Amino acid sequence: MTQMMAMPRVQTCTVSGCGYNHDGCTAFAITIGRASSECDTFIDTADKGGMGQAEAQVGACKRAECVHNTELECHAPSIMVGAGVDRADCLTFEAQ
């Protein structure tokens, strides 16, 4: 049986308009997008979603050119999400 790797945590998210952000990201896991490391899980809504506690992980990353990315999986110890090119970008992204 293959052992699951521990997924990196979303250490901080400063995006106040996201339905998953209530004092931190409460999604079970997020996906980082391709264009500008945007958080594909971001949703601009006043509705509240998520697990109720801030323990989100990075489930997938589409930025293959990031130094932390191996086979579309993030291997950074943790990530930060906040305003970048978009309202919600992975601020931990680092080009190879």
Coordinates of all heavy atoms in Angstrom, one line a residue:
M1 N 0.8 -1.2 0.0 CA 0.0 0.0 0.0 C 0.9 1.2 0.0 O 1.8 1.3 0.7 CB -0.9 0.0 1.2 CG -1.8 1.1 1.4 SD -3.0 0.6 2.7 CE -3.5 2.2 3.2
T2 N 0.5 2.2 -0.9 CA 1.3 3.4 -0.9 C 0.9 4.3 0.2 O -0.2 4.5 0.5 CB 1.0 4.2 -2.3 OG1 1.3 3.3 -3.3 CG2 1.8 5.4 -2.4
Q3 N 2.0 4.9 0.9 CA 1.7 5.8 2.0 C 1.5 7.2 1.4 O 2.2 7.7 0.6 CB 2.9 5.8 2.9 CG 2.7 6.6 4.2 CD 3.8 6.4 5.2 OE1 4.9 5.9 4.8 NE2 3.6 6.8 6.4
M4 N 0.5 7.9 2.0 CA 0.1 9.2 1.5 C 1.2 10.2 2.1 O 1.5 10.0 3.3 CB -1.3 9.6 2.0 CG -2.4 8.8 1.5 SD -3.2 9.4 0.1 CE -3.7 11.0 0.5
M5 N 1.6 11.2 1.3 CA 2.5 12.2 1.9 C 1.7 13.2 2.7 O 0.5 13.4 2.4 CB 3.3 12.9 0.8 CG 2.4 13.8 -0.1 SD 3.4 14.7 -1.2 CE 3.0 16.4 -0.8
A6 N 2.3 13.8 3.6 CA 1.6 14.9 4.4 C 1.6 16.1 3.5 O 2.6 16.5 2.9 CB 2.4 15.2 5.6
M7 N 0.4 16.6 3.2 CA 0.3 17.8 2.4 C 0.6 19.1 3.1 O 0.4 19.1 4.4 CB -1.2 17.9 1.9 CG -1.6 16.7 1.0 SD -3.2 16.9 0.2 CE -4.3 16.9 1.6
P8 N 1.3 20.0 2.5 CA 1.6 21.3 3.1 C 0.4 22.0 3.6 O -0.7 22.0 2.9 CB 2.3 22.1 2.0 CG 2.5 21.2 0.9 CD 1.6 20.0 1.1
R9 N 0.5 22.7 4.7 CA -0.6 23.5 5.3 C -0.7 24.9 4.7 O 0.4 25.4 4.3 CB -0.5 23.6 6.8 CG -0.6 22.3 7.5 CD -2.0 22.0 7.8 NE -2.1 20.7 8.5 CZ -3.2 19.9 8.4 NH1 -4.2 20.2 7.6 NH2 -3.2 18.8 9.0
V10 N -1.8 25.4 4.6 CA -2.0 26.9 4.3 C -1.7 27.6 5.6 O -2.6 27.6 6.5 CB -3.4 27.2 3.7 CG1 -3.5 28.7 3.4 CG2 -3.6 26.4 2.4
Q11 N -0.5 28.1 5.8 CA -0.1 28.7 7.0 C -0.9 30.0 7.3 O -1.4 30.2 8.4 CB 1.4 29.1 7.0 CG 1.9 29.7 8.2 CD 3.4 30.0 8.1 OE1 4.1 29.4 7.3 NE2 3.9 30.9 8.9
T12 N -1.1 30.8 6.2 CA -1.9 32.1 6.4 C -2.6 32.3 5.1 O -2.1 32.0 4.0 CB -1.0 33.3 6.7 OG1 0.0 33.5 5.6 CG2 -0.3 33.2 8.0
C13 N -3.8 32.9 5.2 CA -4.5 33.4 4.1 C -5.1 34.8 4.5 O -5.8 34.9 5.4 CB -5.6 32.5 3.6 SG -6.6 33.2 2.2
T14 N -4.7 35.8 3.7 CA -5.2 37.2 4.1 C -6.3 37.7 3.2 O -6.6 38.9 3.1 CB -4.0 38.2 4.0 OG1 -3.4 38.1 2.7 CG2 -2.9 37.8 5.0
V15 N -6.9 36.7 2.4 CA -8.0 37.1 1.5 C -9.3 37.2 2.2 O -9.9 36.1 2.5 CB -8.0 36.1 0.3 CG1 -9.1 36.6 -0.7 CG2 -6.7 36.0 -0.3
S16 N -9.8 38.4 2.6 CA -10.9 38.5 3.4 C -12.3 38.2 2.7 O -13.2 37.9 3.4 CB -11.0 39.9 4.0 OG -11.0 40.9 3.0
G17 N -12.3 38.3 1.4 CA -13.6 38.0 0.7 C -13.9 36.6 0.4 O -14.9 36.3 -0.3
C18 N -13.1 35.7 0.8 CA -13.3 34.3 0.4 C -14.2 33.6 1.4 O -14.1 33.7 2.6 CB -12.0 33.5 0.3 SG -12.1 31.8 -0.2
G19 N -15.1 32.8 0.8 CA -16.1 32.0 1.7 C -15.4 31.0 2.5 O -16.0 30.5 3.5
Y20 N -14.2 30.6 2.2 CA -13.5 29.6 3.1 C -12.6 30.3 4.1 O -12.0 29.6 4.9 CB -12.6 28.7 2.2 CG -13.3 27.7 1.4 CD1 -13.5 27.9 0.0 CD2 -14.0 26.6 2.0 CE1 -14.2 27.0 -0.8 CE2 -14.7 25.7 1.2 CZ -14.8 25.9 -0.1 OH -15.5 25.0 -0.9
N21 N -12.4 31.6 4.1 CA -11.5 32.2 5.0 C -12.3 32.8 6.2 O -13.0 33.8 6.1 CB -10.7 33.3 4.4 CG -9.6 33.9 5.2 OD1 -9.5 33.5 6.4 ND2 -8.8 34.7 4.7
H22 N -12.3 32.1 7.3 CA -12.8 32.7 8.6 C -11.7 32.5 9.6 O -11.5 31.4 10.2 CB -14.0 31.9 9.1 CG -14.7 31.0 8.2 ND1 -16.1 31.0 8.1 CD2 -14.3 30.1 7.3 CE1 -16.4 30.1 7.2 NE2 -15.4 29.5 6.7
D23 N -10.9 33.6 9.8 CA -9.7 33.6 10.6 C -8.7 32.5 10.2 O -8.1 31.8 11.0 CB -10.1 33.4 12.1 CG -11.0 34.5 12.6 OD1 -10.7 35.7 12.3 OD2 -11.9 34.2 13.4
G24 N -8.6 32.3 8.9 CA -7.7 31.3 8.3 C -8.5 30.5 7.3 O -9.7 30.5 7.3
C25 N -7.8 29.7 6.5 CA -8.5 28.9 5.4 C -9.1 27.7 6.0 O -8.4 26.9 6.6 CB -7.5 28.6 4.3 SG -8.3 27.7 3.0
T26 N -10.4 27.5 5.9 CA -11.1 26.4 6.4 C -11.5 25.3 5.4 O -12.2 24.4 5.7 CB -12.4 26.8 7.2 OG1 -13.3 27.4 6.2 CG2 -12.1 27.8 8.3
A27 N -11.0 25.5 4.1 CA -11.2 24.4 3.1 C -10.4 23.2 3.6 O -9.4 23.3 4.2 CB -10.8 24.9 1.8
F28 N -10.9 22.0 3.2 CA -10.1 20.8 3.5 C -8.8 20.8 2.8 O -7.7 20.6 3.3 CB -10.9 19.6 3.1 CG -10.1 18.3 3.4 CD1 -9.9 17.9 4.7 CD2 -9.6 17.6 2.4 CE1 -9.2 16.7 5.0 CE2 -8.8 16.4 2.6 CZ -8.6 16.0 3.9
A29 N -8.8 21.2 1.5 CA -7.6 21.3 0.6 C -7.9 22.3 -0.5 O -9.0 22.5 -0.9 CB -7.3 20.0 0.0
I30 N -6.8 23.0 -0.9 CA -6.9 24.0 -2.0 C -6.1 23.5 -3.2 O -5.2 22.7 -3.0 CB -6.5 25.4 -1.5 CG1 -5.0 25.4 -1.3 CG2 -7.3 25.9 -0.3 CD1 -4.5 26.9 -1.1
T31 N -6.4 24.1 -4.3 CA -5.7 23.9 -5.6 C -5.1 25.2 -6.0 O -5.8 26.2 -6.0 CB -6.6 23.3 -6.7 OG1 -7.1 22.1 -6.3 CG2 -5.8 23.2 -8.0
I32 N -3.8 25.2 -6.3 CA -3.1 26.4 -6.8 C -3.1 26.3 -8.3 O -2.8 25.3 -8.9 CB -1.7 26.5 -6.3 CG1 -1.6 26.5 -4.8 CG2 -0.9 27.7 -6.9 CD1 -2.4 27.7 -4.1
G33 N -3.6 27.4 -9.0 CA -3.8 27.4 -10.4 C -2.5 27.7 -11.2 O -1.4 28.0 -10.6
R34 N -2.7 27.7 -12.5 CA -1.5 27.8 -13.4 C -1.1 29.3 -13.7 O 0.0 29.6 -13.7 CB -1.9 27.1 -14.7 CG -0.8 27.0 -15.7 CD -1.1 26.1 -16.8 NE -1.3 24.8 -16.2 CZ -1.6 23.7 -16.8 NH1 -1.7 23.7 -18.1 NH2 -1.7 22.5 -16.2
A35 N -2.1 30.2 -14.0 CA -1.7 31.5 -14.6 C -0.8 32.3 -13.7 O 0.2 32.7 -14.2 CB -3.0 32.2 -14.9
S36 N -1.2 32.6 -12.5 CA -0.3 33.4 -11.7 C -0.3 32.9 -10.2 O -0.3 33.7 -9.3 CB -0.9 34.9 -11.7 OG -2.2 34.9 -11.3
S37 N -0.3 31.6 -10.1 CA -0.3 30.9 -8.8 C -1.6 31.2 -8.0 O -1.6 31.3 -6.8 CB 0.9 31.3 -8.0 OG 2.1 31.0 -8.7
E38 N -2.7 31.5 -8.7 CA -3.9 31.9 -8.0 C -4.5 30.7 -7.3 O -4.3 29.5 -7.7 CB -5.0 32.4 -9.0 CG -5.6 31.4 -9.9 CD -4.9 31.1 -11.2 OE1 -3.7 31.5 -11.3 OE2 -5.4 30.4 -12.0
C39 N -5.2 30.9 -6.2 CA -5.9 29.9 -5.5 C -7.2 29.6 -6.2 O -8.1 30.4 -6.2 CB -6.2 30.4 -4.0 SG -7.1 29.2 -3.1
D40 N -7.2 28.4 -6.9 CA -8.4 28.0 -7.6 C -9.6 27.7 -6.7 O -10.7 27.6 -7.2 CB -8.1 26.8 -8.5 CG -7.3 27.1 -9.8 OD1 -7.2 28.3 -10.1 OD2 -6.9 26.1 -10.4
T41 N -9.4 27.6 -5.4 CA -10.4 27.3 -4.5 C -11.1 28.6 -4.0 O -12.2 28.5 -3.5 CB -9.9 26.5 -3.3 OG1 -9.1 25.4 -3.8 CG2 -11.0 25.9 -2.4
F42 N -10.5 29.7 -4.2 CA -11.0 31.0 -3.8 C -12.4 31.2 -4.4 O -12.7 30.9 -5.6 CB -10.2 32.2 -4.3 CG -10.8 33.5 -4.2 CD1 -10.9 34.2 -3.0 CD2 -11.4 34.1 -5.4 CE1 -11.4 35.4 -2.9 CE2 -11.9 35.4 -5.3 CZ -12.0 36.0 -4.1
I43 N -13.4 31.6 -3.6 CA -14.7 31.9 -4.0 C -15.2 33.2 -3.3 O -15.1 33.4 -2.1 CB -15.7 30.8 -3.7 CG1 -17.1 31.1 -4.2 CG2 -15.7 30.4 -2.3 CD1 -18.1 30.0 -4.3
D44 N -15.5 34.2 -4.1 CA -15.9 35.5 -3.6 C -17.3 35.5 -3.2 O -18.2 35.7 -4.0 CB -15.6 36.6 -4.7 CG -15.8 38.0 -4.3 OD1 -16.0 38.2 -3.0 OD2 -15.7 38.9 -5.1
T45 N -17.6 35.3 -1.9 CA -18.9 35.2 -1.4 C -19.0 35.5 0.1 O -18.0 35.3 0.8 CB -19.5 33.8 -1.7 OG1 -20.9 33.7 -1.2 CG2 -18.7 32.7 -1.0
A46 N -20.1 36.0 0.5 CA -20.3 36.2 1.9 C -20.7 34.9 2.6 O -20.7 34.8 3.9 CB -21.4 37.2 2.2
D47 N -21.1 33.9 1.8 CA -21.5 32.6 2.4 C -20.2 31.9 3.0 O -19.1 32.1 2.5 CB -22.0 31.6 1.3 CG -23.4 32.1 0.8 OD1 -24.1 32.9 1.5 OD2 -23.7 31.7 -0.3
K48 N -20.4 31.2 4.1 CA -19.3 30.6 4.8 C -19.3 29.1 4.5 O -20.3 28.4 4.6 CB -19.3 30.8 6.3 CG -19.2 32.3 6.7 CD -17.9 32.8 6.2 CE -17.8 34.3 6.6 NZ -16.6 34.9 6.0
G49 N -18.1 28.6 4.0 CA -18.0 27.2 3.7 C -16.8 26.6 4.5 O -16.1 27.3 5.3
G50 N -16.5 25.4 4.3 CA -15.3 24.8 4.9 C -15.6 23.9 6.1 O -16.8 23.6 6.4
M51 N -14.6 23.6 6.8 CA -14.6 22.6 7.9 C -14.9 23.3 9.3 O -15.0 22.6 10.3 CB -13.3 21.8 8.0 CG -13.1 21.0 6.8 SD -11.6 20.0 6.9 CE -10.4 21.0 7.8
G52 N -14.9 24.6 9.3 CA -15.1 25.3 10.6 C -13.8 25.7 11.3 O -13.8 26.5 12.2
Q53 N -12.7 25.1 11.0 CA -11.4 25.4 11.6 C -10.4 25.6 10.5 O -10.4 24.9 9.5 CB -11.0 24.4 12.6 CG -11.0 22.9 12.1 CD -10.8 21.9 13.3 OE1 -10.8 22.3 14.4 NE2 -10.6 20.7 12.9
A54 N -9.4 26.4 10.8 CA -8.4 26.7 9.8 C -7.3 25.7 9.8 O -6.3 25.8 10.5 CB -7.8 28.1 10.1
E55 N -7.5 24.7 9.0 CA -6.5 23.6 8.8 C -6.3 23.2 7.4 O -6.0 22.0 7.1 CB -6.9 22.4 9.7 CG -6.8 22.7 11.1 CD -7.0 21.4 12.0 OE1 -6.9 20.3 11.4 OE2 -7.2 21.6 13.2
A56 N -6.5 24.1 6.4 CA -6.4 23.8 5.0 C -5.0 23.3 4.6 O -4.0 23.6 5.2 CB -6.8 25.0 4.2
Q57 N -5.0 22.4 3.6 CA -3.8 21.9 3.0 C -3.8 22.2 1.5 O -4.8 22.6 0.9 CB -3.8 20.4 3.2 CG -4.1 19.9 4.6 CD -4.4 18.5 4.7 OE1 -3.4 17.7 4.7 NE2 -5.6 18.1 4.7
V58 N -2.6 22.0 0.9 CA -2.5 22.2 -0.6 C -2.7 20.8 -1.2 O -1.9 19.9 -1.0 CB -1.1 22.7 -1.0 CG1 -1.0 22.9 -2.5 CG2 -0.9 24.1 -0.3
G59 N -3.8 20.6 -1.9 CA -4.1 19.4 -2.5 C -3.4 19.1 -3.8 O -3.0 18.1 -4.1
A60 N -3.4 20.2 -4.6 CA -2.7 20.1 -5.9 C -2.2 21.4 -6.3 O -2.7 22.5 -5.9 CB -3.7 19.6 -7.0
C61 N -1.1 21.4 -7.1 CA -0.5 22.7 -7.6 C -0.3 22.5 -9.1 O 0.4 21.6 -9.6 CB 0.8 23.0 -6.9 SG 1.5 24.5 -7.5
K62 N -0.8 23.4 -9.9 CA -0.6 23.4 -11.4 C 0.6 24.1 -11.9 O 0.9 24.2 -13.0 CB -1.9 24.0 -12.0 CG -3.2 23.2 -11.7 CD -4.4 23.9 -12.3 CE -5.7 23.3 -11.9 NZ -6.8 24.0 -12.4
R63 N 1.4 24.7 -10.9 CA 2.6 25.5 -11.3 C 3.8 24.6 -11.3 O 4.6 24.6 -10.4 CB 2.8 26.6 -10.3 CG 1.8 27.7 -10.4 CD 1.6 28.5 -11.7 NE 2.8 29.1 -12.2 CZ 3.1 30.4 -12.1 NH1 2.3 31.2 -11.4 NH2 4.2 30.8 -12.6
A64 N 4.0 23.8 -12.4 CA 5.1 22.8 -12.5 C 6.4 23.5 -12.5 O 7.4 22.9 -12.1 CB 4.9 22.0 -13.8
E65 N 6.5 24.8 -12.8 CA 7.8 25.5 -12.8 C 8.2 26.1 -11.4 O 9.2 26.8 -11.3 CB 7.8 26.6 -13.8 CG 6.9 27.8 -13.5 CD 5.4 27.6 -13.9 OE1 5.0 26.4 -14.1 OE2 4.7 28.6 -13.9
C66 N 7.4 25.7 -10.4 CA 7.8 26.2 -9.0 C 8.8 25.2 -8.4 O 8.7 24.0 -8.6 CB 6.5 26.2 -8.1 SG 6.8 26.7 -6.4
V67 N 9.7 25.8 -7.7 CA 10.8 24.9 -7.0 C 10.2 23.9 -6.0 O 10.8 22.9 -5.7 CB 11.9 25.8 -6.4 CG1 12.6 26.6 -7.4 CG2 11.3 26.6 -5.2
H68 N 9.0 24.2 -5.5 CA 8.4 23.4 -4.5 C 7.5 22.3 -5.1 O 7.0 21.5 -4.4 CB 7.5 24.2 -3.5 CG 8.3 25.3 -2.8 ND1 9.3 25.0 -1.9 CD2 8.2 26.6 -3.0 CE1 9.8 26.2 -1.5 NE2 9.2 27.2 -2.1
N69 N 7.4 22.3 -6.5 CA 6.4 21.4 -7.1 C 7.2 20.2 -7.7 O 8.1 20.3 -8.5 CB 5.7 22.2 -8.3 CG 4.6 21.4 -8.9 OD1 4.7 20.2 -9.1 ND2 3.5 22.1 -9.2
T70 N 6.7 19.0 -7.3 CA 7.2 17.7 -7.9 C 6.0 16.9 -8.3 O 5.1 16.6 -7.5 CB 8.0 16.9 -6.9 OG1 9.1 17.8 -6.4 CG2 8.6 15.7 -7.5
E71 N 5.8 16.7 -9.6 CA 4.7 15.9 -10.1 C 3.4 16.5 -9.7 O 2.5 15.8 -9.3 CB 4.8 14.4 -9.7 CG 6.1 13.8 -10.3 CD 6.3 12.3 -9.8 OE1 5.7 11.9 -8.8 OE2 7.1 11.6 -10.5
L72 N 3.3 17.8 -9.8 CA 2.0 18.6 -9.5 C 1.6 18.5 -8.1 O 0.5 18.8 -7.7 CB 0.9 18.2 -10.5 CG 1.2 18.3 -11.9 CD1 0.0 17.8 -12.8 CD2 1.5 19.7 -12.3
E73 N 2.5 18.2 -7.2 CA 2.3 18.2 -5.7 C 3.3 19.2 -5.1 O 4.4 19.3 -5.4 CB 2.6 16.8 -5.1 CG 1.7 15.7 -5.7 CD 0.2 15.9 -5.3 OE1 0.0 16.5 -4.2 OE2 -0.6 15.3 -5.9
C74 N 2.7 20.0 -4.2 CA 3.5 21.0 -3.4 C 4.3 20.3 -2.3 O 3.8 19.5 -1.6 CB 2.6 22.0 -2.8 SG 3.6 23.3 -2.0
H75 N 5.6 20.6 -2.3 CA 6.5 20.0 -1.2 C 7.1 21.1 -0.3 O 8.1 20.8 0.4 CB 7.6 19.2 -1.9 CG 7.1 17.9 -2.5 ND1 6.9 16.8 -1.8 CD2 6.6 17.7 -3.7 CE1 6.4 15.8 -2.6 NE2 6.2 16.4 -3.8
A76 N 6.5 22.3 -0.3 CA 6.9 23.3 0.6 C 6.4 22.9 2.0 O 5.4 22.2 2.1 CB 6.3 24.7 0.2
P77 N 7.1 23.3 3.0 CA 6.7 23.0 4.4 C 5.3 23.6 4.7 O 4.5 22.9 5.3 CB 7.7 23.6 5.3 CG 8.9 23.9 4.4 CD 8.4 24.1 3.0
S78 N 5.0 24.7 4.1 CA 3.7 25.4 4.3 C 3.6 26.5 3.2 O 4.7 26.8 2.6 CB 3.4 25.9 5.7 OG 4.4 27.0 5.9
I79 N 2.5 27.1 3.0 CA 2.3 28.2 2.0 C 1.6 29.3 2.6 O 0.9 29.2 3.6 CB 1.7 27.7 0.7 CG1 0.2 27.5 0.9 CG2 2.4 26.5 0.1 CD1 -0.6 27.5 -0.4
M80 N 1.7 30.5 2.0 CA 1.0 31.7 2.4 C 0.1 32.1 1.1 O 0.6 32.0 0.0 CB 1.9 32.8 2.8 CG 2.7 32.5 4.0 SD 3.8 33.8 4.5 CE 5.0 33.8 3.1
V81 N -1.1 32.4 1.4 CA -2.0 32.9 0.3 C -2.4 34.3 0.6 O -2.7 34.7 1.7 CB -3.3 32.0 0.2 CG1 -4.2 32.6 -0.8 CG2 -2.9 30.6 -0.1
G82 N -2.4 35.2 -0.4 CA -2.7 36.6 -0.2 C -2.8 37.3 -1.6 O -2.6 36.7 -2.6
A83 N -2.9 38.6 -1.5 CA -3.0 39.4 -2.8 C -1.7 39.4 -3.5 O -0.6 39.6 -2.9 CB -3.4 40.8 -2.4
G84 N -1.7 39.1 -4.8 CA -0.5 39.1 -5.6 C -1.0 39.7 -6.9 O -1.6 40.8 -6.9
V85 N -0.8 39.0 -8.0 CA -1.4 39.4 -9.3 C -2.9 39.4 -9.2 O -3.6 40.2 -9.7 CB -0.9 38.5 -10.5 CG1 -1.6 38.9 -11.8 CG2 0.6 38.7 -10.6
D86 N -3.4 38.4 -8.5 CA -4.9 38.2 -8.3 C -5.2 38.5 -6.8 O -4.3 38.7 -6.0 CB -5.3 36.8 -8.6 CG -5.0 36.4 -10.1 OD1 -5.5 37.0 -11.0 OD2 -4.2 35.5 -10.3
R87 N -6.4 38.4 -6.5 CA -6.8 38.6 -5.1 C -6.3 37.5 -4.1 O -6.1 37.8 -3.0 CB -8.3 38.7 -4.9 CG -8.9 40.0 -5.4 CD -10.4 40.1 -5.2 NE -10.8 40.0 -3.9 CZ -12.0 39.9 -3.5 NH1 -13.0 39.9 -4.4 NH2 -12.3 39.7 -2.2
A88 N -6.2 36.3 -4.7 CA -5.8 35.2 -3.9 C -4.7 34.4 -4.6 O -5.0 33.5 -5.4 CB -7.0 34.3 -3.5
D89 N -3.4 34.6 -4.3 CA -2.3 33.9 -5.0 C -1.5 33.2 -4.0 O -1.4 33.6 -2.8 CB -1.4 34.9 -5.7 CG -2.1 35.5 -7.0 OD1 -3.0 34.9 -7.5 OD2 -1.6 36.5 -7.5
C90 N -0.8 32.1 -4.4 CA 0.2 31.5 -3.5 C 1.4 32.4 -3.5 O 2.1 32.5 -4.5 CB 0.5 30.1 -4.1 SG 1.9 29.3 -3.1
L91 N 1.7 33.0 -2.4 CA 2.8 33.9 -2.2 C 4.1 33.1 -2.0 O 5.2 33.7 -1.9 CB 2.5 34.9 -1.1 CG 1.2 35.7 -1.2 CD1 1.0 36.6 0.0 CD2 1.3 36.5 -2.5
T92 N 4.0 31.8 -1.8 CA 5.2 31.0 -1.6 C 5.8 30.5 -2.9 O 6.9 30.0 -3.0 CB 4.8 29.7 -0.7 OG1 4.1 30.2 0.4 CG2 6.0 28.9 -0.3
F93 N 5.1 30.7 -4.0 CA 5.6 30.4 -5.4 C 7.0 30.9 -5.6 O 7.3 32.1 -5.3 CB 4.7 30.9 -6.5 CG 5.3 30.7 -7.8 CD1 5.2 29.5 -8.5 CD2 5.9 31.8 -8.5 CE1 5.8 29.3 -9.7 CE2 6.4 31.7 -9.7 CZ 6.4 30.4 -10.4
E94 N 7.9 30.1 -6.1 CA 9.2 30.5 -6.4 C 9.6 29.8 -7.7 O 9.6 28.5 -7.8 CB 10.2 30.1 -5.3 CG 11.6 30.6 -5.4 CD 12.4 30.2 -4.2 OE1 11.9 29.9 -3.2 OE2 13.7 30.2 -4.4
A95 N 9.9 30.5 -8.8 CA 10.3 29.9 -10.1 C 11.6 29.2 -10.0 O 12.5 29.5 -9.2 CB 10.4 31.0 -11.1
Q96 N 11.7 28.1 -10.8 CA 12.9 27.3 -10.8 C 14.0 28.0 -11.5 O 13.8 28.8 -12.3 CB 12.6 26.0 -11.5 CG 11.7 25.1 -10.8 CD 11.5 23.8 -11.6 OE1 12.0 23.5 -12.7 NE2 10.7 22.9 -11.0

